[in-house]
Amino acid sequence: MSIDESTAAKVASLARIRVDEADLPALAADFNRILGFIEQLGEVDIEGVEPMVSVTPMRLKRREDVVTDGGMQDKILANAPDAREGFFAVPKVVE
Amino acid sequence: MLDLTYETPKPKIIAGAKHDWELVIGMEVHAQVSSNAKLFSGASTTFGAEPNSNVAFVDAAMPGMLPVINEFCVAQAVKTGLGLKAAINLRSAFDRKNYFYPDQPAGYQISQLYHPIVGEGEVIVDMGPGIARCVRIERIHLEQDAGKSIHDMDPALSFVDLNRSGVALMEIVSRPDIRGPEEAAAYILKLRQILRYLGTCDGDMQNGNLRADVNVSVCRPGDYERYRETGDFSHLGTRCEIKNMNSTRFIQQAIDVEARRQIAILEAGGQVDQETRGFDPDKGETRSQRSKEEAHDYRYFPDPDLLPLEIEQAWVDDIASTMPELPDAKKARFMGDFGLSDYDASVLTAEVEAAAYFEAVAAHADGKLAANWVINELFGRLKRDEKDIADSPMSPEQLAGVIALISKGDISGKIAKDLFEIVYVEGGDPAKIVEERGMKQVTDTGAIEAAVDEVIAANPAQVEKAKANPKLAGWFVGQVMKTTGGKANPKAVNEIVAAKLGL
């Protein structure tokens, strides 16, 4: 798998990270080095091996259906650049 | 065994300029899980709270916060799966669906793309007496709802409320088995009915607790059958997805205009592009939302914050043992046990509360009479008061009491309606009211004979006419009913009038 400049630009755009045109070749090269490193894993024989999803032998922790949280509008909004009447206020987004 | 056999309805045909077309529709229904707390946090799901007050730090995606799954939401999804006769996957897993939107603070939605909790099932959609469409369910997965953006509070700003962020949704995905706008509406209503019976979603479409994305394509007659035989989607047309519909009326309109749009393109020699479209009910058209779609490369990957969801068969069996009787079975039983028509049984089983009310009445009264009185009198009366069956001032026992008095012959049908109104408005024991207010039907022939004699004596001219034309006897019956205040037994009056007039 090889990442060209336009793919690098698309990944950046999907991640909402601004990348100058001039930086795209270096970014694409970085991606390719990372992928190349990871592709070494392709050499391992995984025939019949279940994918490992966790290194801890744990069961997914569950909670009961009880309201234990919330009721802190002020704290939720505390870091918002702009908040009005209990809402986050953001630049207009209309489809 | 209950009789649940049915015939398959004909697909809707739209006549194009050149030839006939058929519709093929699949739906993705988002149903909000009924629960106290959210899917991954302990914040409340209550509707209508102050903005951003039902929000835990994890719902606002504060750094370092971790999701912990609400086991009851999982149980609700399993229950829903069982209700749709679906396979339950003892091992499922959560994935991140990545996209940016202001009401999606984490930048991703936790969903289940690769390993959903519920697999294949089915919904039987009634389309008339003995006619139904079996719609196959592909899967149900659990996911988080997003927050809500309000665009009309400020000219330059959108306002965001995260109260809904993180509330559990079940996405119920159907196969493309729905064959017309009416079937699509009936499908979502049937789903709603089942979810409400199960208590896993309140089905409130107006508040968006049940909403649908509708996939529409068109094909030539015969193509759909070829798809069903081979499983090969290439026999079907290219589909478009109409997003976020929460009204059965709009769903039908949108399907119809979208199908006609596609037919016009195809008949002009063009191609339908697979895309997401929005329905504008004011203009009666669907519009491309492609700009949005380009940004929607979701880059799903397994959520590293959550281990796979492993549940035990014994736990599923426990849930199965709590399953209520579902609409299809209840309707068939009402038809079998009480001799009700398909229509009456459908009406009475539409809502589980109404069905329970009817059964409580029918426990003490004739089933068919009970059905008539519940459907025609009680539902009508409640509607006038804009009340739900749960708020009925008349208990099932009281209504059964009224019906029992009719069955015994103590009151006539007409008096029964008066009695119904009295009990509905004032309350009380129907038998006692009839006794106290002298509403009992007069079956004593002596008293009726006296009344008939009186009317005959007072109207000699009418007597002559009636002798010439026996049809006029009805006039005498009416007069007698009037003088007895409607309490005389109509059958007895008829017989006595005829005898006295020598007819």
Side-chain angles (χ1 to χ4, degrees), chain A residues 10 14 16 53-54 58 62-63 65 67-71 73 84 86-90 92-93 95, chain B residues 36-37 42 51-53 56 68-72 100 151 154 156-160 292 297 307 310:
Chain A
K10 190 182 172 207
L14 286 169
R16 296 292 188 279
V53 289
S54 166
M58 273 176 65
R62 280 109 156 122
R63 69 163 71 238
D65 185 33
V67 175
T68 55
D69 213 337
Q73 190 195 60
R84 302 181 193 193
F87 294 92
F88 291 92
V90 302
K92 194 106 175 161
V93 269
E95 313 259 313
Chain B
N36 298 316
N52 293 304
S53 60
V68 181
I69 199 163
N70 180 338
E71 188 163 42
F72 181 69
F100 286 99
H151 304 295
D154 187 287
L157 299 169
S158 289
F159 282 33
V160 179
K292 197 177 167 187
D297 178 344
L307 289 165
E310 287 173 305

mmCIF file of all heavy atoms in Angstrom, chain A residues 10 14 16 53-54 58 62-63 65 67-71 73 84 86-90 92-93 95, chain B residues 36-37 42 51-53 56 68-72 100 151 154 156-160 292 297 307 310:
data_model
loop_
_atom_site.group_PDB
_atom_site.id
_atom_site.type_symbol
_atom_site.label_atom_id
_atom_site.label_comp_id
_atom_site.label_asym_id
_atom_site.label_seq_id
_atom_site.Cartn_x
_atom_site.Cartn_y
_atom_site.Cartn_z
ATOM 1 N N LYS A 10 -6.306 14.070 1.535
ATOM 2 C CA LYS A 10 -7.651 13.646 1.911
ATOM 3 C C LYS A 10 -7.692 13.244 3.395
ATOM 4 O O LYS A 10 -8.614 13.609 4.125
ATOM 5 C CB LYS A 10 -8.073 12.460 1.037
ATOM 6 C CG LYS A 10 -9.538 12.140 1.210
ATOM 7 C CD LYS A 10 -9.970 10.940 0.400
ATOM 8 C CE LYS A 10 -11.395 10.583 0.780
ATOM 9 N NZ LYS A 10 -11.675 9.173 0.573
ATOM 10 N N LEU A 14 -10.038 14.937 6.180
ATOM 11 C CA LEU A 14 -10.991 14.181 7.001
ATOM 12 C C LEU A 14 -10.712 14.392 8.490
ATOM 13 O O LEU A 14 -11.624 14.375 9.310
ATOM 14 C CB LEU A 14 -10.913 12.688 6.662
ATOM 15 C CG LEU A 14 -11.537 12.272 5.330
ATOM 16 C CD1 LEU A 14 -11.165 10.826 4.996
ATOM 17 C CD2 LEU A 14 -13.049 12.431 5.370
ATOM 18 N N ARG A 16 -9.599 17.101 9.695
ATOM 19 C CA ARG A 16 -9.699 18.554 9.926
ATOM 20 C C ARG A 16 -8.364 19.135 10.393
ATOM 21 O O ARG A 16 -8.288 19.905 11.338
ATOM 22 C CB ARG A 16 -10.778 18.857 10.980
ATOM 23 C CG ARG A 16 -12.174 18.472 10.576
ATOM 24 C CD ARG A 16 -12.686 19.356 9.421
ATOM 25 N NE ARG A 16 -14.083 19.105 9.162
ATOM 26 C CZ ARG A 16 -14.538 18.083 8.436
ATOM 27 N NH1 ARG A 16 -13.693 17.243 7.869
ATOM 28 N NH2 ARG A 16 -15.831 17.910 8.254
ATOM 29 N N VAL A 53 -7.952 -8.553 21.017
ATOM 30 C CA VAL A 53 -8.536 -7.223 21.142
ATOM 31 C C VAL A 53 -8.088 -6.536 22.421
ATOM 32 O O VAL A 53 -8.281 -5.348 22.589
ATOM 33 C CB VAL A 53 -10.076 -7.274 21.109
ATOM 34 C CG1 VAL A 53 -10.549 -7.627 19.712
ATOM 35 C CG2 VAL A 53 -10.616 -8.251 22.127
ATOM 36 N N SER A 54 -7.507 -7.291 23.339
ATOM 37 C CA SER A 54 -7.094 -6.689 24.599
ATOM 38 C C SER A 54 -5.990 -7.529 25.216
ATOM 39 O O SER A 54 -5.944 -8.740 25.006
ATOM 40 C CB SER A 54 -8.288 -6.626 25.559
ATOM 41 O OG SER A 54 -7.844 -6.344 26.863
ATOM 42 N N MET A 58 -10.053 -9.505 30.729
ATOM 43 C CA MET A 58 -11.191 -8.919 31.445
ATOM 44 C C MET A 58 -12.467 -9.028 30.631
ATOM 45 O O MET A 58 -12.445 -9.112 29.418
ATOM 46 C CB MET A 58 -10.933 -7.430 31.692
ATOM 47 C CG MET A 58 -10.159 -7.136 32.962
ATOM 48 S SD MET A 58 -9.820 -5.368 33.057
ATOM 49 C CE MET A 58 -11.484 -4.715 33.201
ATOM 50 N N ARG A 62 -19.711 -3.406 33.045
ATOM 51 C CA ARG A 62 -21.077 -2.906 32.821
ATOM 52 C C ARG A 62 -21.502 -1.977 33.941
ATOM 53 O O ARG A 62 -21.036 -2.097 35.067
ATOM 54 C CB ARG A 62 -22.075 -4.093 32.825
ATOM 55 C CG ARG A 62 -22.128 -4.879 31.529
ATOM 56 C CD ARG A 62 -21.494 -6.232 31.724
ATOM 57 N NE ARG A 62 -22.004 -7.201 30.745
ATOM 58 C CZ ARG A 62 -21.246 -7.877 29.898
ATOM 59 N NH1 ARG A 62 -19.945 -7.710 29.894
ATOM 60 N NH2 ARG A 62 -21.787 -8.747 29.068
ATOM 61 N N ARG A 63 -22.457 -1.106 33.639
ATOM 62 C CA ARG A 63 -23.088 -0.281 34.674
ATOM 63 C C ARG A 63 -24.578 -0.608 34.718
ATOM 64 O O ARG A 63 -25.145 -1.137 33.759
ATOM 65 C CB ARG A 63 -22.876 1.193 34.394
ATOM 66 C CG ARG A 63 -23.628 1.713 33.168
ATOM 67 C CD ARG A 63 -23.726 3.232 33.143
ATOM 68 N NE ARG A 63 -22.463 3.875 32.869
ATOM 69 C CZ ARG A 63 -21.897 4.754 33.694
ATOM 70 N NH1 ARG A 63 -22.496 5.066 34.833
ATOM 71 N NH2 ARG A 63 -20.766 5.337 33.374
ATOM 72 N N ASP A 65 -28.635 0.521 35.042
ATOM 73 C CA ASP A 65 -29.406 1.580 34.387
ATOM 74 C C ASP A 65 -29.921 2.572 35.429
ATOM 75 O O ASP A 65 -31.122 2.646 35.701
ATOM 76 C CB ASP A 65 -30.569 0.959 33.605
ATOM 77 C CG ASP A 65 -31.327 2.018 32.813
ATOM 78 O OD1 ASP A 65 -30.690 2.990 32.365
ATOM 79 O OD2 ASP A 65 -32.551 1.872 32.671
ATOM 80 N N VAL A 67 -29.486 6.657 36.972
ATOM 81 C CA VAL A 67 -28.958 7.990 36.698
ATOM 82 C C VAL A 67 -28.029 8.392 37.841
ATOM 83 O O VAL A 67 -28.460 8.515 38.988
ATOM 84 C CB VAL A 67 -30.095 9.017 36.527
ATOM 85 C CG1 VAL A 67 -29.524 10.422 36.354
ATOM 86 C CG2 VAL A 67 -30.960 8.641 35.332
ATOM 87 N N THR A 68 -26.751 8.527 37.521
ATOM 88 C CA THR A 68 -25.749 8.837 38.545
ATOM 89 C C THR A 68 -24.940 10.070 38.166
ATOM 90 O O THR A 68 -24.018 10.439 38.874
ATOM 91 C CB THR A 68 -24.753 7.667 38.679
ATOM 92 O OG1 THR A 68 -24.202 7.399 37.372
ATOM 93 C CG2 THR A 68 -25.427 6.407 39.194
ATOM 94 N N ASP A 69 -25.273 10.664 37.039
ATOM 95 C CA ASP A 69 -24.396 11.706 36.513
ATOM 96 C C ASP A 69 -25.243 12.789 35.835
ATOM 97 O O ASP A 69 -26.433 12.600 35.607
ATOM 98 C CB ASP A 69 -23.422 11.073 35.495
ATOM 99 C CG ASP A 69 -22.069 11.761 35.488
ATOM 100 O OD1 ASP A 69 -22.009 12.935 35.904
ATOM 101 O OD2 ASP A 69 -21.100 11.134 35.048
ATOM 102 N N GLY A 70 -24.606 13.882 35.488
ATOM 103 C CA GLY A 70 -25.305 14.984 34.830
ATOM 104 C C GLY A 70 -25.664 16.071 35.828
ATOM 105 O O GLY A 70 -25.136 16.103 36.959
ATOM 106 N N GLY A 71 -26.555 16.982 35.415
ATOM 107 C CA GLY A 71 -26.956 18.071 36.297
ATOM 108 C C GLY A 71 -25.821 19.048 36.577
ATOM 109 O O GLY A 71 -25.686 19.549 37.692
ATOM 110 N N GLN A 73 -24.627 21.633 34.092
ATOM 111 C CA GLN A 73 -24.541 22.452 32.881
ATOM 112 C C GLN A 73 -23.341 23.403 32.913
ATOM 113 O O GLN A 73 -22.614 23.556 31.936
ATOM 114 C CB GLN A 73 -25.844 23.245 32.763
ATOM 115 C CG GLN A 73 -26.038 23.970 31.467
ATOM 116 C CD GLN A 73 -27.157 24.995 31.594
ATOM 117 O OE1 GLN A 73 -27.088 25.915 32.422
ATOM 118 N NE2 GLN A 73 -28.202 24.823 30.812
ATOM 119 N N ARG A 84 -24.324 30.242 25.304
ATOM 120 C CA ARG A 84 -25.431 31.164 25.563
ATOM 121 C C ARG A 84 -26.679 30.393 25.941
ATOM 122 O O ARG A 84 -27.003 29.382 25.308
ATOM 123 C CB ARG A 84 -25.728 31.998 24.306
ATOM 124 C CG ARG A 84 -24.510 32.784 23.858
ATOM 125 C CD ARG A 84 -24.814 33.610 22.644
ATOM 126 N NE ARG A 84 -23.538 34.096 22.089
ATOM 127 C CZ ARG A 84 -23.454 35.045 21.187
ATOM 128 N NH1 ARG A 84 -24.544 35.611 20.704
ATOM 129 N NH2 ARG A 84 -22.282 35.436 20.742
ATOM 130 N N GLY A 86 -27.385 28.358 28.092
ATOM 131 C CA GLY A 86 -27.231 26.933 28.391
ATOM 132 C C GLY A 86 -26.771 26.094 27.215
ATOM 133 O O GLY A 86 -26.584 24.888 27.350
ATOM 134 N N PHE A 87 -26.609 26.717 26.052
ATOM 135 C CA PHE A 87 -26.171 25.990 24.857
ATOM 136 C C PHE A 87 -24.705 26.312 24.543
ATOM 137 O O PHE A 87 -24.227 27.392 24.870
ATOM 138 C CB PHE A 87 -27.000 26.408 23.627
ATOM 139 C CG PHE A 87 -28.447 26.039 23.693
ATOM 140 C CD1 PHE A 87 -29.383 26.933 24.203
ATOM 141 C CD2 PHE A 87 -28.878 24.800 23.228
ATOM 142 C CE1 PHE A 87 -30.734 26.593 24.243
ATOM 143 C CE2 PHE A 87 -30.228 24.470 23.266
ATOM 144 C CZ PHE A 87 -31.158 25.365 23.781
ATOM 145 N N PHE A 88 -24.024 25.387 23.856
ATOM 146 C CA PHE A 88 -22.779 25.736 23.200
ATOM 147 C C PHE A 88 -23.177 26.594 22.007
ATOM 148 O O PHE A 88 -24.117 26.257 21.284
ATOM 149 C CB PHE A 88 -22.064 24.482 22.654
ATOM 150 C CG PHE A 88 -21.515 23.568 23.717
ATOM 151 C CD1 PHE A 88 -22.278 22.512 24.195
ATOM 152 C CD2 PHE A 88 -20.233 23.745 24.215
ATOM 153 C CE1 PHE A 88 -21.771 21.649 25.163
ATOM 154 C CE2 PHE A 88 -19.713 22.883 25.182
ATOM 155 C CZ PHE A 88 -20.488 21.844 25.661
ATOM 156 N N ALA A 89 -22.465 27.701 21.787
ATOM 157 C CA ALA A 89 -22.747 28.524 20.611
ATOM 158 C C ALA A 89 -21.576 28.365 19.655
ATOM 159 O O ALA A 89 -20.422 28.586 20.034
ATOM 160 C CB ALA A 89 -22.933 29.974 21.018
ATOM 161 N N VAL A 90 -21.884 27.902 18.444
ATOM 162 C CA VAL A 90 -20.830 27.634 17.460
ATOM 163 C C VAL A 90 -21.164 28.374 16.166
ATOM 164 O O VAL A 90 -22.312 28.765 15.952
ATOM 165 C CB VAL A 90 -20.719 26.113 17.159
ATOM 166 C CG1 VAL A 90 -20.446 25.335 18.433
ATOM 167 C CG2 VAL A 90 -21.978 25.587 16.476
ATOM 168 N N LYS A 92 -22.392 29.197 12.634
ATOM 169 C CA LYS A 92 -23.579 28.610 12.009
ATOM 170 C C LYS A 92 -23.231 27.413 11.113
ATOM 171 O O LYS A 92 -22.369 27.504 10.259
ATOM 172 C CB LYS A 92 -24.262 29.675 11.139
ATOM 173 C CG LYS A 92 -25.663 29.282 10.734
ATOM 174 C CD LYS A 92 -26.614 30.095 11.518
ATOM 175 C CE LYS A 92 -28.056 29.962 11.198
ATOM 176 N NZ LYS A 92 -28.839 30.458 12.336
ATOM 177 N N VAL A 93 -23.912 26.289 11.377
ATOM 178 C CA VAL A 93 -23.755 25.138 10.492
ATOM 179 C C VAL A 93 -25.120 24.742 9.976
ATOM 180 O O VAL A 93 -25.921 24.158 10.689
ATOM 181 C CB VAL A 93 -23.163 23.904 11.215
ATOM 182 C CG1 VAL A 93 -21.667 23.902 11.122
ATOM 183 C CG2 VAL A 93 -23.610 23.831 12.663
ATOM 184 N N GLU A 95 -27.086 22.863 6.710
ATOM 185 C CA GLU A 95 -26.868 22.040 5.511
ATOM 186 C C GLU A 95 -27.316 22.812 4.273
ATOM 187 O O GLU A 95 -28.377 23.363 4.256
ATOM 188 C CB GLU A 95 -27.698 20.764 5.612
ATOM 189 C CG GLU A 95 -27.578 20.094 6.965
ATOM 190 C CD GLU A 95 -26.623 18.931 6.926
ATOM 191 O OE1 GLU A 95 -26.737 18.126 6.002
ATOM 192 O OE2 GLU A 95 -25.758 18.862 7.805
ATOM 193 N N ASN B 36 -33.276 4.498 31.626
ATOM 194 C CA ASN B 36 -33.139 5.676 32.489
ATOM 195 C C ASN B 36 -31.884 6.455 32.155
ATOM 196 O O ASN B 36 -31.897 7.667 32.089
ATOM 197 C CB ASN B 36 -33.068 5.242 33.964
ATOM 198 C CG ASN B 36 -34.330 4.537 34.410
ATOM 199 O OD1 ASN B 36 -35.426 4.985 34.085
ATOM 200 N ND2 ASN B 36 -34.181 3.447 35.125
ATOM 201 N N ALA B 37 -30.786 5.700 31.946
ATOM 202 C CA ALA B 37 -29.491 6.339 31.717
ATOM 203 C C ALA B 37 -29.010 6.049 30.305
ATOM 204 O O ALA B 37 -29.548 5.192 29.609
ATOM 205 C CB ALA B 37 -28.476 5.841 32.748
ATOM 206 N N GLY B 42 -23.849 7.667 33.008
ATOM 207 C CA GLY B 42 -24.928 7.644 33.993
ATOM 208 C C GLY B 42 -25.820 8.862 33.905
ATOM 209 O O GLY B 42 -26.595 9.138 34.818
ATOM 210 N N PRO B 51 -31.109 22.588 28.592
ATOM 211 C CA PRO B 51 -30.020 22.187 27.693
ATOM 212 C C PRO B 51 -28.739 21.867 28.454
ATOM 213 O O PRO B 51 -28.420 22.528 29.448
ATOM 214 C CB PRO B 51 -29.836 23.407 26.784
ATOM 215 C CG PRO B 51 -30.548 24.531 27.454
ATOM 216 C CD PRO B 51 -31.638 23.913 28.244
ATOM 217 N N ASN B 52 -28.050 20.839 27.994
ATOM 218 C CA ASN B 52 -26.756 20.422 28.543
ATOM 219 C C ASN B 52 -26.780 20.072 30.033
ATOM 220 O O ASN B 52 -25.747 20.094 30.690
ATOM 221 C CB ASN B 52 -25.694 21.485 28.254
ATOM 222 C CG ASN B 52 -25.408 21.578 26.766
ATOM 223 O OD1 ASN B 52 -25.058 20.580 26.145
ATOM 224 N ND2 ASN B 52 -25.603 22.753 26.183
ATOM 225 N N SER B 53 -27.971 19.754 30.546
ATOM 226 C CA SER B 53 -28.032 19.349 31.954
ATOM 227 C C SER B 53 -27.987 17.828 32.095
ATOM 228 O O SER B 53 -27.558 17.317 33.123
ATOM 229 C CB SER B 53 -29.279 19.916 32.634
ATOM 230 O OG SER B 53 -30.442 19.444 31.987
ATOM 231 N N ALA B 56 -23.033 13.880 31.008
ATOM 232 C CA ALA B 56 -21.871 13.508 31.812
ATOM 233 C C ALA B 56 -20.627 13.905 31.019
ATOM 234 O O ALA B 56 -20.709 14.164 29.817
ATOM 235 C CB ALA B 56 -21.882 12.009 32.084
ATOM 236 N N VAL B 68 -18.651 3.363 29.844
ATOM 237 C CA VAL B 68 -18.978 2.107 30.552
ATOM 238 C C VAL B 68 -20.398 1.739 30.139
ATOM 239 O O VAL B 68 -21.317 2.547 30.297
ATOM 240 C CB VAL B 68 -18.904 2.269 32.085
ATOM 241 C CG1 VAL B 68 -19.218 0.934 32.769
ATOM 242 C CG2 VAL B 68 -17.533 2.776 32.515
ATOM 243 N N ILE B 69 -20.569 0.542 29.613
ATOM 244 C CA ILE B 69 -21.855 0.216 28.981
ATOM 245 C C ILE B 69 -22.971 -0.032 29.984
ATOM 246 O O ILE B 69 -22.753 -0.615 31.055
ATOM 247 C CB ILE B 69 -21.706 -0.982 28.008
ATOM 248 C CG1 ILE B 69 -22.884 -0.999 27.023
ATOM 249 C CG2 ILE B 69 -21.613 -2.305 28.771
ATOM 250 C CD1 ILE B 69 -22.627 -1.853 25.805
ATOM 251 N N ASN B 70 -24.150 0.454 29.639
ATOM 252 C CA ASN B 70 -25.372 0.268 30.429
ATOM 253 C C ASN B 70 -25.952 -1.106 30.071
ATOM 254 O O ASN B 70 -26.415 -1.313 28.951
ATOM 255 C CB ASN B 70 -26.342 1.404 30.072
ATOM 256 C CG ASN B 70 -27.650 1.341 30.826
ATOM 257 O OD1 ASN B 70 -28.050 0.286 31.320
ATOM 258 N ND2 ASN B 70 -28.311 2.483 30.916
ATOM 259 N N GLU B 71 -25.908 -2.020 31.021
ATOM 260 C CA GLU B 71 -26.301 -3.407 30.742
ATOM 261 C C GLU B 71 -27.781 -3.507 30.336
ATOM 262 O O GLU B 71 -28.159 -4.359 29.535
ATOM 263 C CB GLU B 71 -26.034 -4.280 31.975
ATOM 264 C CG GLU B 71 -26.245 -5.758 31.697
ATOM 265 C CD GLU B 71 -25.596 -6.635 32.752
ATOM 266 O OE1 GLU B 71 -25.707 -6.287 33.948
ATOM 267 O OE2 GLU B 71 -24.993 -7.641 32.371
ATOM 268 N N PHE B 72 -28.608 -2.621 30.894
ATOM 269 C CA PHE B 72 -30.034 -2.670 30.566
ATOM 270 C C PHE B 72 -30.263 -2.349 29.085
ATOM 271 O O PHE B 72 -31.136 -2.947 28.442
ATOM 272 C CB PHE B 72 -30.807 -1.690 31.454
ATOM 273 C CG PHE B 72 -32.291 -1.687 31.199
ATOM 274 C CD1 PHE B 72 -33.075 -2.786 31.538
ATOM 275 C CD2 PHE B 72 -32.904 -0.585 30.610
ATOM 276 C CE1 PHE B 72 -34.437 -2.789 31.295
ATOM 277 C CE2 PHE B 72 -34.276 -0.582 30.369
ATOM 278 C CZ PHE B 72 -35.042 -1.679 30.708
ATOM 279 N N PHE B 100 -16.951 14.682 11.752
ATOM 280 C CA PHE B 100 -17.006 15.898 12.562
ATOM 281 C C PHE B 100 -18.336 16.609 12.381
ATOM 282 O O PHE B 100 -18.797 16.807 11.258
ATOM 283 C CB PHE B 100 -15.879 16.858 12.155
ATOM 284 C CG PHE B 100 -14.542 16.401 12.628
ATOM 285 C CD1 PHE B 100 -13.672 15.735 11.778
ATOM 286 C CD2 PHE B 100 -14.149 16.616 13.943
ATOM 287 C CE1 PHE B 100 -12.430 15.308 12.217
ATOM 288 C CE2 PHE B 100 -12.904 16.191 14.396
ATOM 289 C CZ PHE B 100 -12.042 15.535 13.527
ATOM 290 N N HIS B 151 -30.665 25.859 14.794
ATOM 291 C CA HIS B 151 -30.097 26.845 13.872
ATOM 292 C C HIS B 151 -30.876 28.156 13.833
ATOM 293 O O HIS B 151 -30.476 29.080 13.145
ATOM 294 C CB HIS B 151 -30.038 26.248 12.454
ATOM 295 C CG HIS B 151 -29.284 24.959 12.389
ATOM 296 N ND1 HIS B 151 -27.938 24.871 12.642
ATOM 297 C CD2 HIS B 151 -29.694 23.694 12.133
ATOM 298 C CE1 HIS B 151 -27.539 23.618 12.528
ATOM 299 N NE2 HIS B 151 -28.597 22.878 12.228
ATOM 300 N N ASP B 154 -30.220 32.236 16.501
ATOM 301 C CA ASP B 154 -29.307 33.357 16.286
ATOM 302 C C ASP B 154 -28.924 33.385 14.814
ATOM 303 O O ASP B 154 -28.692 32.335 14.217
ATOM 304 C CB ASP B 154 -28.066 33.165 17.163
ATOM 305 C CG ASP B 154 -27.130 34.372 17.120
ATOM 306 O OD1 ASP B 154 -26.456 34.571 16.088
ATOM 307 O OD2 ASP B 154 -27.091 35.117 18.128
ATOM 308 N N ALA B 156 -26.222 34.246 13.339
ATOM 309 C CA ALA B 156 -24.848 33.899 12.983
ATOM 310 C C ALA B 156 -24.355 32.622 13.656
ATOM 311 O O ALA B 156 -23.280 32.125 13.343
ATOM 312 C CB ALA B 156 -23.918 35.053 13.351
ATOM 313 N N LEU B 157 -25.154 32.103 14.584
ATOM 314 C CA LEU B 157 -24.666 30.977 15.388
ATOM 315 C C LEU B 157 -25.630 29.794 15.360
ATOM 316 O O LEU B 157 -26.827 29.961 15.169
ATOM 317 C CB LEU B 157 -24.510 31.410 16.857
ATOM 318 C CG LEU B 157 -23.524 32.552 17.140
ATOM 319 C CD1 LEU B 157 -23.693 33.037 18.572
ATOM 320 C CD2 LEU B 157 -22.089 32.092 16.889
ATOM 321 N N SER B 158 -25.053 28.603 15.556
ATOM 322 C CA SER B 158 -25.883 27.433 15.834
ATOM 323 C C SER B 158 -25.715 27.115 17.318
ATOM 324 O O SER B 158 -24.626 27.268 17.867
ATOM 325 C CB SER B 158 -25.430 26.237 15.000
ATOM 326 O OG SER B 158 -25.763 26.435 13.643
ATOM 327 N N PHE B 159 -26.804 26.681 17.947
ATOM 328 C CA PHE B 159 -26.761 26.365 19.372
ATOM 329 C C PHE B 159 -26.782 24.849 19.528
ATOM 330 O O PHE B 159 -27.570 24.165 18.881
ATOM 331 C CB PHE B 159 -27.961 26.987 20.097
ATOM 332 C CG PHE B 159 -27.812 28.461 20.350
ATOM 333 C CD1 PHE B 159 -27.121 29.269 19.460
ATOM 334 C CD2 PHE B 159 -28.356 29.044 21.488
ATOM 335 C CE1 PHE B 159 -26.973 30.630 19.689
ATOM 336 C CE2 PHE B 159 -28.217 30.406 21.733
ATOM 337 C CZ PHE B 159 -27.527 31.205 20.837
ATOM 338 N N VAL B 160 -25.921 24.344 20.407
ATOM 339 C CA VAL B 160 -25.781 22.901 20.555
ATOM 340 C C VAL B 160 -26.163 22.458 21.962
ATOM 341 O O VAL B 160 -25.698 23.019 22.954
ATOM 342 C CB VAL B 160 -24.331 22.452 20.229
ATOM 343 C CG1 VAL B 160 -24.191 20.950 20.421
ATOM 344 C CG2 VAL B 160 -23.948 22.857 18.806
ATOM 345 N N LYS B 292 -22.348 16.580 1.581
ATOM 346 C CA LYS B 292 -22.184 15.980 2.893
ATOM 347 C C LYS B 292 -21.537 14.604 2.757
ATOM 348 O O LYS B 292 -20.709 14.196 3.563
ATOM 349 C CB LYS B 292 -23.564 15.865 3.527
ATOM 350 C CG LYS B 292 -23.545 15.655 5.028
ATOM 351 C CD LYS B 292 -24.967 15.637 5.544
ATOM 352 C CE LYS B 292 -25.019 15.111 6.958
ATOM 353 N NZ LYS B 292 -26.386 14.931 7.405
ATOM 354 N N ASP B 297 -16.434 9.767 4.839
ATOM 355 C CA ASP B 297 -15.598 8.587 4.753
ATOM 356 C C ASP B 297 -15.345 8.258 6.216
ATOM 357 O O ASP B 297 -14.542 8.904 6.873
ATOM 358 C CB ASP B 297 -14.307 8.961 4.009
ATOM 359 C CG ASP B 297 -13.352 7.797 3.928
ATOM 360 O OD1 ASP B 297 -13.529 6.817 4.685
ATOM 361 O OD2 ASP B 297 -12.414 7.868 3.123
ATOM 362 N N LEU B 307 -13.998 -3.318 25.357
ATOM 363 C CA LEU B 307 -13.766 -4.728 25.056
ATOM 364 C C LEU B 307 -14.982 -5.251 24.290
ATOM 365 O O LEU B 307 -16.056 -4.645 24.328
ATOM 366 C CB LEU B 307 -13.601 -5.524 26.349
ATOM 367 C CG LEU B 307 -12.297 -5.269 27.110
ATOM 368 C CD1 LEU B 307 -12.399 -5.821 28.526
ATOM 369 C CD2 LEU B 307 -11.139 -5.909 26.363
ATOM 370 N N GLU B 310 -19.527 -9.536 25.457
ATOM 371 C CA GLU B 310 -19.826 -10.967 25.503
ATOM 372 C C GLU B 310 -20.965 -11.205 26.476
ATOM 373 O O GLU B 310 -20.917 -10.770 27.626
ATOM 374 C CB GLU B 310 -18.570 -11.746 25.906
ATOM 375 C CG GLU B 310 -17.583 -11.772 24.762
ATOM 376 C CD GLU B 310 -16.245 -12.387 25.130
ATOM 377 O OE1 GLU B 310 -15.617 -11.921 26.099
ATOM 378 O OE2 GLU B 310 -15.838 -13.325 24.436
#
